[in-house]
Amino acid sequence: MKKLIVGNFKMNTTVKEFAVYLDKFLPKVKDSKSDVVLCLPYTHLMLASQKLVSTEVNFGSQNISIDTSGAHTGEVSANMVKDLGATYTIIGHSEIRKRFKETNEQVNQKIINALGVNLKVILCIGETKTEKNANKTAAVLKKQIDIALKGLYENELKNIIIAYEPCWAIGTGNVASSKDIENAVKTIRKVIEEDFSEKAAEKMLVLYGGSTKLENFNSILKVKGVNGLLVGGACLDADVFAKMV
Ligand code: PEP
């Protein structure tokens, strides 16, 4: 089965710089064996729709609004993202959960909005260092999944990808151990089995994210149950990210 490699640009690059990036990146991943998604700032989506239309590279946003339209200054709806040809959106990234105090219930509403316009969702979950040290990882992941996927039908799970991203590993250089990742992925599938079915748990795509780089990505991809990666910092270098892809 193909691995899914997702790049999260976060708030980096101008549109001009992104155009240069694509000129470098696209030829290198033309015959890649992985599925690739670039999650971009909203400002980059129009250029992505023009440049990626005839390629195998998919793209998406890093968030969407909890609302679908109306007087919400500064917000961008799922429909607006979809309208630009995007096929994915990240939802529940820990940087957004933390800065905007985004709740699991808001994550759930955003997922419903995304699925409503046929966007695939990369749902980010993960524990903080304090929660890890208190042996609460499994409980935190369960709560995040239970609430985020509340009310969804099993057949909608084909459009959900879960990214296990321990908060303490994101952008810190501290990558989770293979054992930690394997345990978290097991927990994720167990929760999906409890909430939906064994078949749903088997089919669910689960990614790892948190300080992945050239030196560690291969061993992470070999961890049992890991279907791919969500890459932040390392995706900004077209050569490095192309190698990972
Ligand atoms: C991320 O932004 O989802 C992420 C995993 O970042 P980094 O790879 O930089 O830790």
Side-chain angles (χ1 to χ4, degrees):
M1 193 180 170
K2 275 188 172 184
K3 298 286 185 187
L4 174 62
I5 312 293
V6 182
N8 175 16
F9 270 53
K10 312 198 188 200
M11 194 173 71
N12 291 297
T13 72
T14 62
V15 173
K16 269 189 200 151
E17 287 162 348
F18 177 53
V20 173
Y21 176 98
L22 286 180
D23 287 344
K24 215 171 171 189
F25 181 70
L26 291 176
K28 289 182 197 286
V29 298
K30 223 168 60 197
D31 301 312
S32 112
K33 292 191 196 80
S34 311
D35 291 319
V36 194
V37 181
L38 300 178
C39 288
L40 303 164
Y42 296 126
T43 47
H44 296 27
L45 297 179
M46 177 65 96
L47 182 71
S49 71
Q50 293 161 355
K51 290 248 191 186
L52 302 181
V53 68
S54 55
T55 75
E56 296 283 298
V57 176
N58 295 297
F59 67 97
S61 60
Q62 301 164 12
N63 190 19
I64 51 165
S65 176
I66 192 168
D67 294 295
T68 50
S69 71
H72 306 291
T73 305
E75 296 279 289
V76 175
S77 72
N79 192 40
M80 291 168 171
V81 169
K82 179 70 184 181
D83 181 50
L84 288 172
T87 44
Y88 287 81
T89 182
I90 291 175
I91 294 181
H93 194 284
S94 65
E95 286 159 8
I96 295 175
R97 288 183 190 255
K98 193 171 169 200
R99 174 176 285 208
F100 299 105
K101 300 196 170 25
E102 186 182 61
T103 64
N104 288 318
E105 287 74 12
Q106 289 168 333
V107 166
N108 175 245
Q109 183 57 54
K110 289 182 179 186
I111 290 176
I112 290 166
N113 294 355
L115 296 180
V117 298
N118 261 325
L119 279 177
K120 286 183 194 285
V121 171
I122 299 161
L123 164 65
C124 296
I125 58 171
E127 82 286 2
T128 62
K129 191 77 191 166
T130 314
E131 289 163 343
K132 177 179 167 53
N133 290 342
N135 279 325
K136 287 190 179 153
T137 301
V140 169
L141 299 182
K142 177 170 168 50
K143 187 171 175 194
Q144 288 174 330
I145 296 170
D146 284 350
I147 302 175
L149 303 185
K150 199 167 171 199
L152 265 61
Y153 294 108
E154 185 166 328
N155 69 1
E156 294 179 293
L157 296 187
K158 61 180 180 300
N159 289 323
I160 305 279
I161 293 137
I162 297 183
Y164 170 57
E165 297 214 307
C167 302
W168 50 270
I170 297 176
T172 59
N174 300 320
V175 71
S177 70
S178 296
K179 196 77 221 152
D180 280 344
I181 299 172
E182 191 179 333
N183 284 339
V185 171
K186 255 194 221 155
T187 299
I188 291 167
R189 292 196 199 282
K190 191 165 148 257
V191 175
I192 297 293
E193 183 176 338
E194 286 161 5
D195 290 355
F196 297 91
S197 72
E198 198 180 329
K199 199 167 144 212
E202 266 170 36
K203 280 197 192 161
M204 177 58 66
L205 291 185
V206 183
L207 313 181
Y208 168 79
S211 295
T212 52
K213 50 188 175 202
L214 273 186
E215 294 73 29
N216 61 26
F217 82 98
N218 251 321
S219 59
I220 296 170
L221 284 176
K222 284 186 191 127
V223 174
K224 199 165 166 233
V226 171
N227 303 112
L229 305 170
L230 177 49
V231 183
C235 82
L236 295 170
D237 182 320
D239 290 324
V240 168
F241 194 48
K243 275 187 194 147
M244 292 170 94
V245 165

